[in-house]
Amino acid sequence: MMVHVRLTIAIAAALALVSCGHLPSRNARVSPDLAKLIPPDTTMLLDAHLDRLRDTPVYRKYAPQLAPRQQMAGIRPEDVAEVLACSDGKSAVIFSRFSTPDVGSRLKTSGAKSTQYGGRTIYSDGRDAFALLDPSIAVAGRLTAVQSAIDQAK
C-alpha cells in the first residue's frame, strides 16, 4: 500500500509539474540511463526533468505541497533529478533518477518488506513494489512490472 501511495503521488506530481511548465523541445530528452529501461511494449511515456523544473515558478509554487509526502518516503525534493513513467495501457512502471547516491539507503529504512529477485532487493507490500536498479536509479510499480524492469536491466 505504501509503495502504491508513493507511485500515485509521483505520477500526480510529475503530471502537474510537466503540464504547467514548458521546456524547449531541444531539451526534452529522456536521459540515456533511463531510456534503456523503457519496456518494449510501452505505449505512453511521461518524462519530467525535475532538476530543470526546480528553477521555474510552477515548481516553486507546488513544491511545498509535495515536500512533506516525499520526506515521508525518505526523499528530499532535491534528491529526484528525473522521473520517467511508462505504461502499456494496462499497467505502469515509474523510473526515478536520483541526484544524490545516498537516497537508496534512506529508502531501505522505510519499513517495507523486502525480498530478493534477480540480484536486487525488492521492497513490496505484495502488490506494489520498489527496487533500486543501481544507486541512482529506482523503479516502482506493480510487483510484476518491477520484476520485469529488473530482468530488462540485466
Side-chain angles (χ1 to χ4, degrees), residues 6 10 25 34 41 48 62 76 86 92 116 135-136 150:
R6 282 190 211 143
S25 61
L34 294 184
D41 57 349
Y62 292 104
R76 297 181 309 250
C86 306
Q116 292 295 311
S136 64
I150 290 170

Short mmCIF file of all heavy atoms in Angstrom, two decimals, residues 6 10 25 34 41 48 62 76 86 92 116 135-136 150:
data_model
loop_
_atom_site.label_atom_id
_atom_site.label_comp_id
_atom_site.label_asym_id
_atom_site.label_seq_id
_atom_site.Cartn_x
_atom_site.Cartn_y
_atom_site.Cartn_z
N ARG A 6 3.04 6.06 -2.90
CA ARG A 6 4.18 6.79 -3.46
C ARG A 6 4.10 6.87 -4.97
O ARG A 6 4.40 7.89 -5.57
CB ARG A 6 5.49 6.12 -3.06
CG ARG A 6 5.91 6.41 -1.67
CD ARG A 6 7.31 5.92 -1.46
NE ARG A 6 7.43 5.52 -0.07
CZ ARG A 6 8.12 4.50 0.37
NH1 ARG A 6 8.78 3.75 -0.46
NH2 ARG A 6 8.15 4.24 1.63
N ALA A 10 3.90 10.21 -7.11
CA ALA A 10 4.93 10.53 -8.11
C ALA A 10 4.31 10.84 -9.46
O ALA A 10 4.71 11.79 -10.14
CB ALA A 10 5.92 9.37 -8.23
N SER A 25 11.74 22.14 -26.90
CA SER A 25 11.82 20.76 -27.33
C SER A 25 13.25 20.27 -27.46
O SER A 25 13.51 19.09 -27.33
CB SER A 25 11.07 20.57 -28.66
OG SER A 25 11.66 21.37 -29.65
N LEU A 34 17.96 6.13 -18.35
CA LEU A 34 16.56 5.73 -18.19
C LEU A 34 15.97 5.20 -19.51
O LEU A 34 15.15 4.29 -19.49
CB LEU A 34 15.70 6.89 -17.68
CG LEU A 34 16.00 7.38 -16.27
CD1 LEU A 34 15.02 8.47 -15.88
CD2 LEU A 34 15.97 6.24 -15.27
N ASP A 41 6.96 -2.83 -24.72
CA ASP A 41 5.53 -2.71 -25.03
C ASP A 41 4.93 -1.38 -24.59
O ASP A 41 3.71 -1.21 -24.56
CB ASP A 41 4.75 -3.88 -24.41
CG ASP A 41 4.95 -3.98 -22.90
OD1 ASP A 41 5.83 -3.28 -22.35
OD2 ASP A 41 4.21 -4.76 -22.27
N ALA A 48 9.79 13.73 -16.81
CA ALA A 48 9.88 15.03 -16.14
C ALA A 48 11.28 15.20 -15.58
O ALA A 48 11.73 14.40 -14.75
CB ALA A 48 8.86 15.13 -15.02
N TYR A 62 4.32 24.72 -6.37
CA TYR A 62 3.78 23.45 -5.92
C TYR A 62 4.73 22.62 -5.06
O TYR A 62 4.30 21.68 -4.40
CB TYR A 62 3.33 22.61 -7.12
CG TYR A 62 2.13 23.24 -7.80
CD1 TYR A 62 2.27 23.93 -9.00
CD2 TYR A 62 0.87 23.17 -7.22
CE1 TYR A 62 1.18 24.52 -9.61
CE2 TYR A 62 -0.22 23.76 -7.82
CZ TYR A 62 -0.06 24.43 -9.02
OH TYR A 62 -1.14 25.02 -9.61
N ARG A 76 14.24 13.74 -0.19
CA ARG A 76 14.16 15.20 -0.18
C ARG A 76 13.83 15.65 -1.60
O ARG A 76 14.21 14.99 -2.57
CB ARG A 76 15.50 15.79 0.25
CG ARG A 76 15.91 15.43 1.66
CD ARG A 76 17.23 16.08 2.02
NE ARG A 76 18.25 15.82 1.02
CZ ARG A 76 19.31 15.04 1.19
NH1 ARG A 76 19.49 14.43 2.32
NH2 ARG A 76 20.19 14.87 0.22
N CYS A 86 6.18 5.00 -17.60
CA CYS A 86 5.94 4.21 -18.80
C CYS A 86 4.68 3.38 -18.57
O CYS A 86 4.49 2.80 -17.51
CB CYS A 86 7.10 3.26 -19.08
SG CYS A 86 8.71 4.02 -19.17
N ALA A 92 1.56 0.41 -15.24
CA ALA A 92 2.58 1.46 -15.37
C ALA A 92 3.79 1.09 -14.52
O ALA A 92 3.68 0.36 -13.53
CB ALA A 92 2.02 2.80 -14.92
N GLN A 116 14.43 -10.83 -2.40
CA GLN A 116 15.46 -10.78 -3.43
C GLN A 116 14.88 -11.28 -4.75
O GLN A 116 14.12 -12.25 -4.77
CB GLN A 116 16.66 -11.65 -3.04
CG GLN A 116 17.44 -11.12 -1.85
CD GLN A 116 18.10 -9.79 -2.17
OE1 GLN A 116 18.77 -9.63 -3.17
NE2 GLN A 116 17.92 -8.83 -1.28
N PRO A 135 22.62 2.56 -7.59
CA PRO A 135 22.49 3.57 -6.52
C PRO A 135 21.74 4.84 -6.91
O PRO A 135 21.24 5.55 -6.05
CB PRO A 135 23.94 3.89 -6.15
CG PRO A 135 24.70 2.67 -6.54
CD PRO A 135 24.01 2.15 -7.78
N SER A 136 21.64 5.13 -8.21
CA SER A 136 20.98 6.37 -8.60
C SER A 136 19.69 6.18 -9.39
O SER A 136 19.08 7.15 -9.82
CB SER A 136 21.95 7.24 -9.41
OG SER A 136 22.28 6.58 -10.62
N ILE A 150 13.63 -5.26 -13.66
CA ILE A 150 14.88 -5.83 -13.17
C ILE A 150 15.45 -6.79 -14.23
O ILE A 150 16.65 -6.76 -14.53
CB ILE A 150 14.69 -6.54 -11.82
CG1 ILE A 150 14.42 -5.49 -10.74
CG2 ILE A 150 15.89 -7.41 -11.48
CD1 ILE A 150 13.98 -6.08 -9.41
#
